[in-house]
Amino acid sequence: MGVKLSYKDFDCYLKELSSKYKIYAPKVLEGKGKFAETNVIGYEQITSFNEIQLDEKSYFSPKEIFYPIRETLFYFKDNEAEVPDIDVKPIIILARPCDLNGIRRLDTIFLKNGFNVDYYYKRRREFVKFMMIECTEGFESCFCVSMNSNIAKDYEAAIRFEEGSVSIKTVDDELITETIVLSEKVVFEPEFVRENKVKVSIPEVGKVTKESFNHKIWMEYTGRCIACGRCNTSCITCSCYSMQDVKLSEDQLIGERRRVWAGCHVDGFTDMAGGHICRADNGERMRFKTMHKINDFYKRFGEHMCVGCGRCDDVCPEYISFSKCINKLNQIIEEENTSG
Ligand code: SF4
Ligand code: SF4
C-alpha cells in the first residue's frame, strides 16, 4: 500500500521531514563540473521536488554523505586525544537500487569485516535512512542486472516519480507524516529494471588462472590508464582511505589525525616504508581493481563487490570501460578452459 502525492504535496512532505532530517538527493551542482562554468550531478541537500535530478545518473555516488572524503578522526595535544563531535541530525538519502546495494557492500567492509566495527563509519551510518528511487530503465552504461544489483530490499521508503505525481510506500513509520496520512491511498509496489543495454559475463569465481592473471590484456591498461583515480572516487563500493597526521605547531605536539579517501589506481596507494611500491604499473592497478570487484570480495563475503552502476565507465577520461574489461577477462578464461 502507498500514497500518491502531487508535486506540491510532495514538497509539503519534504518540509515536514526536514524538521527532523537532512534530505539528500541527486542534484545539479552548478559550476562544479570538470570545466569552467560547467555543471555536474552529485548528492546535495534538497528541500523541494524541483531540485531533484532524475533524468541523468549522478556523477558522484551518495557515499560521501556518511563517509566523508576527508574526516578528522581526533585532535591530539601531547598525550591527550579528543574525538570531534559530528552533526547528529538524522539523514534521508534518495538513492537508486544499485547504490543501496553498493552501500550494503560498504557496510560489509566497515561493519562486518573482522572483529571490530569502524567506529567513525558506524556513528554516521546509524543516522541514515534511505528512500529508494524506483528505477525501471537504468542509464546507458548501467549493468546492474548482470551484477544482481537491480533489486534492493533495504530501504525505509520507496518512491515512484511520475509525470505530475509522486507515489510513496513507507516502510518506516517514522516517515509517516500528516501529509502521508491525508493523501490518496494507492497500491504501489516498486518495479525494478530487468534488462540493461550493457551486459557482462563474470568469470566463475575460482576459475581465475595464473595465465589470465599474467595475460597481456593488463598491459593495454598500462598504456591507457593515467592513474587519475576518478573510477575509485566515483565508485559507490570503493572504501579505501589513507591516514594523515597533520602537525599544527613546530614547537608543540599538537595536531590532528585525518583519514582521506584513497584509491588503488592512484600513485602512492601501495607505497611502503623503504620505498617499495607493490603496484607501480597502471595495468597492475587495473588488474587489482578488477579482481577485487568481481572475484576476491566474493570469495570472502559471498557476493560481488561491483554493483554495475557504470559510473567508472562514465567518468574515465581515457574511455576505459570496466564492463568491457570484465567481458574480456571472461572471454580469456573461457578460451583457456576450452583449449586446455
Ligand atoms: S566498479 Fe564501476 S560499475 Fe562497479 S560499482 Fe564501482 S563504479 Fe560502479
Ligand atoms: S578513471 Fe580511467 S584513467 Fe582514471 S584511474 Fe580509472 S581507469 Fe585509470
Side-chain angles (χ1 to χ4, degrees):
M1 208 58 187
V3 294
K4 196 169 211 170
L5 311 178
S6 64
Y7 291 159
K8 193 166 159 231
D9 286 343
F10 183 64
D11 282 350
C12 289
Y13 180 50
L14 291 178
K15 196 170 175 195
E16 288 166 337
L17 290 175
S18 296
S19 62
K20 189 169 169 198
Y21 300 93
K22 291 187 283 183
I23 305 168
Y24 288 82
K27 182 175 172 178
V28 176
L29 310 180
E30 290 188 11
K32 293 195 176 171
K34 278 181 282 211
F35 306 107
E37 296 182 29
T38 60
N39 304 332
V40 70
I41 302 168
Y43 270 76
E44 274 278 355
Q45 257 185 274
I46 55 126
T47 54
S48 69
F49 168 77
N50 282 339
E51 294 171 87
I52 305 171
Q53 171 57 257
L54 296 165
D55 300 335
E56 289 176 53
K57 194 194 303 177
S58 68
Y59 185 98
F60 298 110
S61 85
K63 71 180 174 186
E64 68 185 271
I65 301 165
F66 53 91
Y67 172 39
I69 298 169
R70 186 184 69 190
E71 179 171 25
T72 300
L73 302 189
F74 56 82
Y75 295 100
F76 55 82
K77 186 172 181 222
D78 299 324
N79 291 326
E80 288 175 12
E82 190 181 345
V83 177
D85 292 334
I86 56 166
D87 183 353
V88 293
K89 186 168 182 181
I91 288 170
I92 292 172
I93 301 176
L94 276 67
R96 291 174 191 272
C98 60
D99 281 338
L100 296 191
N101 283 308
I103 288 160
R104 208 154 44 74
R105 270 58 163 186
L106 290 180
D107 290 350
T108 299
I109 287 291
F110 285 111
L111 306 176
K112 298 170 194 164
N113 185 17
F115 297 111
N116 299 314
V117 301
D118 186 294
Y119 166 80
Y120 296 96
Y121 180 86
K122 182 169 178 281
R123 72 175 183 156
R124 290 181 190 274
R125 176 69 180 82
E126 58 195 8
F127 287 109
V128 182
K129 294 183 180 187
F130 295 101
M131 285 189 173
M132 186 189 69
I133 301 172
E134 183 184 65
C135 185
T136 54
E137 298 290 327
F139 296 101
E140 198 67 25
S141 61
C142 300
F143 53 99
C144 57
V145 176
S146 299
M147 302 311 298
N148 284 326
S149 291
N150 51 322
I151 296 172
K153 297 192 180 115
D154 300 328
Y155 52 79
E156 277 72 31
I159 307 190
R160 172 181 291 162
F161 291 101
E162 286 172 304
E163 194 60 44
S165 70
V166 182
S167 297
I168 303 176
K169 175 188 160 188
T170 48
V171 178
D172 178 349
D173 288 349
E174 290 187 7
L175 300 185
I176 298 176
T177 65
E178 196 182 344
T179 299
I180 296 288
V181 173
L182 296 176
S183 294
E184 178 197 352
K185 305 289 176 284
V186 290
V187 177
F188 167 45
E189 273 305 319
E191 304 279 333
F192 299 95
V193 59
R194 297 291 170 185
E195 191 173 10
N196 303 123
K197 284 186 201 157
V198 178
K199 297 176 177 61
V200 301
S201 301
I202 308 157
E204 203 180 315
V205 172
K207 287 264 168 86
V208 177
T209 56
K210 202 171 160 198
E211 287 70 28
S212 55
F213 193 80
N214 292 323
H215 197 275
K216 63 178 187 315
I217 177 192
W218 306 114
M219 291 291 291
E220 178 198 325
Y221 299 108
T222 304
R224 290 176 66 197
C225 173
I226 56 169
C228 66
R230 278 192 204 175
C231 52
N232 293 135
T233 50
S234 65
C235 176
I236 181 68
T237 66
C238 277
S239 58
C240 291
Y241 58 81
S242 288
M243 287 294 190
Q244 295 175 349
D245 280 349
V246 183
K247 205 163 166 246
L248 300 176
S249 165
E250 284 299 314
D251 312 319
Q252 285 180 287
L253 184 56
I254 180 168
E256 64 183 87
R257 173 165 295 180
R258 295 174 183 162
R259 72 171 169 194
V260 183
W261 284 7
C264 52
H265 271 279
V266 180
D267 286 344
F269 184 73
T270 61
D271 290 4
M272 299 171 80
H276 180 64
I277 302 171
C278 294
R279 289 184 293 276
D281 184 275
N282 293 351
E284 289 177 355
R285 297 176 193 180
M286 185 71 182
R287 177 178 63 195
F288 173 82
K289 181 182 75 180
T290 306
M291 297 301 181
H292 193 201
K293 299 281 183 194
I294 58 141
N295 192 68
D296 303 340
F297 188 91
Y298 188 99
K299 281 192 199 160
R300 190 168 167 85
F301 300 113
E303 62 184 354
H304 289 299
M305 188 181 206
C306 174
V307 292
C309 72
R311 285 193 182 93
C312 51
D313 285 20
D314 301 337
V315 303
C316 179
E318 299 299 311
Y319 305 104
I320 290 171
S321 165
F322 188 52
S323 52
K324 286 202 175 100
C325 173
I326 297 172
N327 281 333
K328 278 191 227 171
L329 178 63
N330 185 61
Q331 195 185 342
I332 290 163
I333 291 171
E334 284 199 344
E335 282 169 7
E336 277 172 8
N337 285 338
T338 4
S339 64

